[in-house]
Amino acid sequence: MPELPEVETIRNHLKPNILGKVISKIDVLEPKIFIGDSTKAEGKRVIDVLRSGKVLSIELETGLFLSFHFKLSGQLLFAHDSQNAVYKDKIPGASSNKMPSSSTRVIIHFADNSAIYFNEVRKFGWIKFSDIQEKPKGVDVMSKKFTKEYFEKNLANTRRPIKVVLMDQDRYAGIGNIYANEALWEAKIDPSIPPQKLTESQINKLHQAIINAIQKGIKHQGSSGNDEMYVLPDGSKGGFQYQFVVYQQNGKPCPRCGEIIKRIKLGGRGTFFCPKCQSNSI
DNA sequence: CTGCGGTCCTGAAGGC
DNA sequence: TGCCTTCAGGACCGCA
């Protein structure tokens, strides 16, 4: 699912392809996905491509923003020639390697005949078009503002399990299920315990482990695992799924201690951890 | 204010 | 084989 590293990868690949281009038309195939008046984007030039947390924003001239949230199954595909949008491999969630597909919800056309396809199998994702850049409340975990002090301060006022807190976008923006699980494993912390039970040393380790997991995800261009729809704008897959240590690895041995990785539910979400080296005994 | 459970939606997986 | 049921999952909403 697109979390910070996946959205950052989309941004890095999309930006050079659309910078300076003028939007000629937007086809809204699923009205509930697009919030705002799409016709007002026509004739506007792309001046930047931004990201905050899991939200991608295309900045247009005269202070307008097309902001995307990919939720679980959103994809963004770019085609140099929209008359002939063919990709190397079959696109996950689509029946073939051609766009548009049955899960294409919005098409943004540019004056040079290139286009962006916003695909969303489950229709949870959205595009918001307005004069503000859509941003989550919490601090982006890749930004300089995500300091150890900020991290610690925002752990103080809750008794929810640490893993649920890490995924709270109002506190820390960009961490989803994959990177929360991986970071907790690296820091050897039990996902179920409340933040109050963490020692100073564990907080330090966890802060660094979050940064490490996110950076590793970006380095591998995001994760395109078994049940994941995520692909890069050219239709190719990311590689971080081959680096998973605990996420979806239940039943396999922990590479650190050999204990079998377990799956439980926390806050209604699948949670993967090693019951031995992630136990709360320090 | 906090937390919890229901909701959106679809494809995949499981049961008989 | 095939139909029916259950489940996963990010964020939001209403309620306690």
Side-chain angles (χ1 to χ4, degrees):
Chain A
M1 58 221 69
E3 305 178 28
L4 190 155
E6 287 74 24
V7 180
E8 180 67 8
T9 303
I10 292 170
R11 187 181 84 88
N12 288 335
H13 285 253
L14 183 66
K15 190 172 168 178
N17 281 312
I18 67 168
L19 217 54
K21 290 188 181 179
V22 173
I23 293 176
S24 55
K25 190 171 191 318
I26 298 184
D27 290 329
V28 179
L29 310 176
E30 179 64 55
K32 69 165 277 186
I33 297 283
F34 195 99
I35 297 116
D37 181 358
S38 62
T39 63
K40 293 209 167 88
E42 291 170 8
K44 295 287 191 294
R45 190 177 300 272
V46 174
I47 61 170
D48 209 350
V49 182
L50 310 161
R51 182 195 56 74
S52 181
K54 303 177 192 175
V55 180
L56 180 85
S57 293
I58 297 176
E59 185 180 0
L60 306 178
E61 58 188 353
T62 64
L64 295 170
F65 297 86
L66 281 162
S67 296
F68 298 70
H69 199 306
F70 301 100
K71 294 289 178 91
L72 309 168
S73 55
Q75 296 168 333
L76 200 155
L77 289 168
F78 176 79
H80 290 280
D81 176 8
S82 61
Q83 302 302 307
N84 189 27
V86 181
Y87 299 86
K88 195 168 164 278
D89 299 308
K90 186 185 99 66
I91 303 301
S95 56
S96 76
N97 63 338
K98 293 193 175 84
M99 284 298 130
S101 76
S102 57
S103 63
T104 300
R105 310 303 179 194
V106 177
I107 308 171
I108 299 173
H109 295 276
F110 296 102
D112 70 346
N113 214 29
S114 63
I116 287 170
Y117 300 88
F118 182 62
N119 301 335
E120 231 298 30
V121 168
R122 289 186 178 77
K123 301 182 185 174
F124 285 2
W126 43 251
I127 301 174
K128 290 181 186 173
F129 178 50
S130 79
D131 56 3
I132 56 150
Q133 183 194 350
E134 197 71 28
K135 286 181 182 179
K137 259 192 227 163
V139 156
D140 186 282
V141 296
M142 270 285 90
S143 78
K144 281 180 195 160
K145 289 183 180 174
F146 182 63
T147 59
K148 191 236 153 192
E149 288 70 32
Y150 176 90
F151 179 57
E152 185 163 21
K153 198 181 97 193
N154 282 272
L155 290 175
N157 57 350
T158 182
R159 276 172 292 175
R160 308 185 83 185
I162 180 65
K163 192 227 166 190
V164 176
V165 178
L166 293 187
M167 291 173 65
D168 181 351
Q169 304 298 304
D170 291 345
R171 296 170 197 268
Y172 317 114
I175 309 171
N177 209 14
I178 295 170
Y179 298 92
N181 280 292
E182 294 295 321
L184 285 162
W185 179 84
E186 187 190 318
K188 300 186 186 178
I189 291 168
D190 180 346
S192 318
I193 64 166
Q196 281 85 348
K197 290 202 176 166
L198 295 175
T199 64
E200 193 63 24
S201 151
Q202 283 180 314
I203 291 171
N204 282 329
K205 275 185 197 157
L206 185 54
H207 175 251
Q208 191 55 50
I210 290 165
I211 294 168
N212 292 347
I214 295 286
Q215 283 180 348
K216 212 171 156 192
I218 294 171
K219 186 182 156 197
H220 292 278
Q221 313 222 81
S223 60
S224 304
N226 297 335
D227 57 343
E228 290 176 78
M229 304 282 182
Y230 164 76
V231 286
L232 275 65
D234 66 357
S236 64
K237 291 186 172 192
F240 190 60
Q241 64 275 17
Y242 304 116
Q243 308 296 318
F244 290 166
V245 176
V246 284
Y247 184 72
Q248 291 180 338
Q249 304 302 302
N250 42 317
K252 294 182 187 170
C254 169
R256 192 163 50 203
C257 76
E259 185 73 23
I260 300 300
I261 303 292
K262 236 176 122 179
R263 181 190 196 274
I264 59 167
K265 260 196 172 192
L266 285 179
R269 307 284 167 248
T271 300
F272 307 85
F273 70 109
C274 171
K276 193 174 170 188
C277 61
Q278 283 178 268
S279 72
N280 197 26
S281 52
I282 305 131

